[in-house]
Amino acid sequence: MPVNERRQHFRIDDHIYFDYKILQPGSLCSDKTITEDLLGQSGQRYFETSQYFQTIDYELSELTQNLALKDPSLAHYLNLVNAKIDFLARHLLLGDKIHLRKVNLSLGGMSFKCKERIKEGTHLKIIIYTKPKMVPIIIDAMSVYSEYLKENLYRTAVQFDNLTHEQEQLLSQHITLAQVKCRAD
C-alpha cells in the first residue's frame, strides 16, 4: 500500500468494502430512499447495528481501560470477545452483499475500477465500511473522471462532497491505520 501525498490530503492504495449508487439527475427520490436502496435490507440492519455497537464501544472503552490497569489479561480477553461479536454481526448481516475492492483513497475522494463509465459531474451516493471496526459511512460524491481501461472496465475518480466531522474522523482513522500497516509491511 504505497502512500502518496497529493494536493492537500494523503492518498493511500487500499482494499476496502464499498458500494455506490449513481444519482439520476432530476430524480425525485429522497435521501433516505437512496440510502436504503444502496444499503439493502441486510445492509440497513448492519448499519443500525454498527451504530448501536459504536455507542456501546464508547462506554466499553473507558471501562476496559480502567479494568486493564488492574487486570490486563482480562481486559484483553474482553476486547477479543467484543471483536468476535463484531465479526459475527458483520458476517451474518452483510454476508456476500459487498466485496473487497482496490481503491486509492484520501479525505478528498477516491478512485476505483468499475464496469460502467460514469460521466464527469455525475452525483453518487457511496457507502464505505471503514477499518478497524467496519463502521459504514454514507458519503455524497461527484465523479471527476471515468477513463476507459479495457473492455467493460473504467478507472473512475470521485470527489467527496461536504463530509461531516464524524465522517472525516472515521475516514482519517481508516487512512491512518492503513498508513501504519503500510509502514509495518
Side-chain angles (χ1 to χ4, degrees):
M1 280 187 232
V3 178
N4 308 307
E5 185 177 356
R6 290 189 209 154
R7 298 183 189 96
Q8 65 215 37
H9 302 292
F10 279 102
R11 295 192 152 293
I12 58 163
D13 289 325
D14 197 5
H15 287 85
I16 64 172
Y17 292 97
F18 84 97
D19 201 2
Y20 67 90
K21 180 167 179 59
I22 296 173
L23 306 179
Q24 300 301 328
S27 67
L28 299 174
C29 291
S30 71
D31 201 41
K32 183 180 179 198
T33 303
I34 294 166
T35 300
E36 287 173 355
D37 187 36
L38 180 62
L39 286 169
Q41 188 176 17
S42 61
Q44 183 66 31
R45 284 194 312 262
Y46 177 73
F47 186 69
E48 292 165 0
T49 302
S50 67
Q51 286 180 324
Y52 178 67
F53 279 6
Q54 192 175 11
T55 303
I56 292 172
D57 282 346
Y58 289 131
E59 288 183 50
L60 282 175
S61 66
E62 187 176 326
L63 295 170
T64 306
Q65 286 174 0
N66 290 337
L67 186 59
L69 295 172
K70 297 173 185 160
D71 191 348
S73 60
L74 179 59
H76 182 67
Y77 171 79
L78 293 173
N79 282 330
L80 290 174
V81 170
N82 192 37
K84 286 174 81 172
I85 292 168
D86 285 344
F87 179 81
L88 284 172
R90 181 171 54 251
H91 181 72
L92 293 173
L93 293 172
L94 286 179
D96 294 332
K97 182 189 180 318
I98 59 168
H99 302 283
L100 194 62
R101 297 168 66 176
K102 184 175 181 181
V103 299
N104 182 271
L105 179 67
S106 79
L107 285 176
M110 71 181 197
S111 64
F112 55 92
K113 293 177 183 171
C114 60
K115 293 181 181 181
E116 61 190 322
R117 181 181 179 280
I118 301 174
K119 188 177 171 185
E120 182 179 327
T122 299
H123 292 277
L124 299 98
K125 187 73 76 172
I126 299 175
I127 184 166
I128 298 174
Y129 295 85
T130 59
K131 296 173 186 171
K133 298 238 180 199
M134 293 288 287
V135 176
I137 56 173
I138 298 171
I139 301 172
D140 292 315
M142 184 176 65
S143 173
V144 177
Y145 68 81
S146 191
E147 63 186 25
Y148 178 81
L149 294 175
K150 60 183 179 180
E151 188 176 325
N152 293 328
L153 193 62
Y154 295 85
R155 179 160 190 82
T156 299
V158 298
Q159 175 181 328
F160 298 146
D161 292 333
N162 305 318
L163 291 178
T164 66
H165 181 67
E166 182 182 15
Q167 290 171 330
E168 195 171 297
Q169 280 185 318
L170 288 168
L171 271 179
S172 181
Q173 179 184 18
H174 176 97
I175 290 168
T176 301
L177 288 171
Q179 287 173 324
V180 168
K181 183 179 181 206
C182 176
R183 289 182 187 139
D185 291 344

